[in-house]
Amino acid sequence: MAFSLKKLKYPALFGLALALTGVGFAQPANAQGVVRSGHGAWQIRCDNKSGPGVDICALMQSVTAKNNPNIGITVILQKHKNNKTILRVQAPLGVLLPGGLGLTVDGKKLGRTTFLRCLPSGCLADVPLEKKILKLFKSGKKATFVVFETPNKGIGLPVSLTGFTAGFKALPVMGAPAKAISVKPGKPVALPPKPVAKAPTKKVKGNVSTTVKSLPLPSASSGKNESRLAPGG
């Protein structure tokens, strides 16, 4: 069984996987797109850059080397029409390109493929996934992708296959109509009563007395009818 590069039938769709990975591809937190669902070690991420109502989704997992966090890969699978599956692996810049990308599933060597191109975010291997290898992914426990720093030094990056079968089953076909999301109306919530506003209290500045004293009216014999304000105190 060979893990080899074949002529792609989907050259126009090659760049769609790039919309789902960021520059920091070795770190899942930097992956772009919206997480639609999680399946074990895998995530389905979707984007709508082809237009509203169209699904662009991929089944993804990102891992880094145990002894070197700067070396990592992102594994991307996409379903296409006619029952075709494309496997894309994004590896860091600086890998030995002639060494290619090796693949082992549960200790069984499946061969190597070449890197198709390199971008500022990393180097890409892009191959149609054979049904026999897909079957191994569904039944296996661990897939190990091998990148090479030197012709004689390969670095194995283990990718868990836990949840792969469920994730692959839930993965929509590229370009399929987006699924409608139904929202159930919530129960009406009673609003709390509005607080009664209190009249503001005026403060008097300074040490001024506001006490009003009224003097008694003078007797009628005085002929005067006056009232005066006496000073406070």
Side-chain angles (χ1 to χ4, degrees):
M1 187 181 302
F3 175 62
S4 59
L5 183 66
K6 295 182 179 180
K7 186 177 180 180
L8 292 178
K9 296 181 180 180
Y10 313 98
L13 297 175
F14 173 80
L16 294 182
L18 302 181
L20 297 167
T21 54
V23 174
F25 53 86
Q27 302 176 11
N30 288 337
Q32 297 177 1
V34 178
V35 177
R36 171 168 294 182
S37 58
H39 305 272
W42 298 82
Q43 287 183 338
I44 293 180
R45 288 180 173 266
C46 299
D47 209 331
N48 61 351
K49 290 189 176 182
S50 283
V54 178
D55 267 335
I56 301 175
C57 299
L59 183 63
M60 302 174 60
Q61 184 180 160
S62 299
V63 296
T64 56
K66 291 184 179 180
N67 300 326
N68 191 346
N70 293 323
I71 298 179
I73 60 172
T74 295
V75 181
I76 307 164
L77 289 101
Q78 292 177 319
K79 285 182 181 178
H80 293 266
K81 296 178 180 179
N82 301 324
N83 202 25
K84 301 292 183 180
T85 302
I86 300 297
L87 170 66
R88 294 179 173 95
V89 179
Q90 188 174 10
L93 296 172
V95 298
L96 187 68
L97 298 180
L101 178 73
L103 175 61
T104 300
V105 176
D106 291 339
K108 186 175 183 178
K109 294 183 179 180
L110 301 177
R112 297 187 192 182
T113 188
T114 58
F115 287 102
L116 186 62
R117 64 186 298 188
C118 290
L119 300 172
S121 57
C123 297
L124 290 162
D126 192 79
V127 297
L129 192 63
E130 297 177 358
K131 291 183 179 181
K132 292 181 180 180
I133 299 179
L134 180 58
K135 186 176 180 180
L136 289 175
F137 272 42
K138 290 180 177 180
S139 61
K141 295 181 178 180
K142 181 177 67 177
T144 302
F145 292 87
V146 182
V147 296
F148 292 86
E149 287 186 314
T150 68
N152 300 320
K153 184 181 179 182
I155 300 175
L157 296 157
V159 173
S160 173
L161 296 175
T162 301
F164 177 85
T165 300
F168 188 80
K169 183 178 180 180
L171 180 65
V173 176
M174 289 285 291
K179 293 182 178 180
I181 301 175
S182 58
V183 179
K184 295 181 179 180
K187 295 181 179 180
V189 179
L191 296 177
K194 293 183 178 180
V196 179
K198 295 182 179 180
T201 303
K202 293 184 179 180
K203 295 183 179 179
V204 179
K205 296 183 179 179
N207 189 18
V208 179
S209 175
T210 58
T211 304
V212 178
K213 294 183 178 181
S214 298
L215 295 178
L217 294 175
S219 61
S221 60
S222 64
K224 297 181 180 179
N225 186 8
E226 298 178 348
S227 64
R228 292 182 294 172
L229 293 178

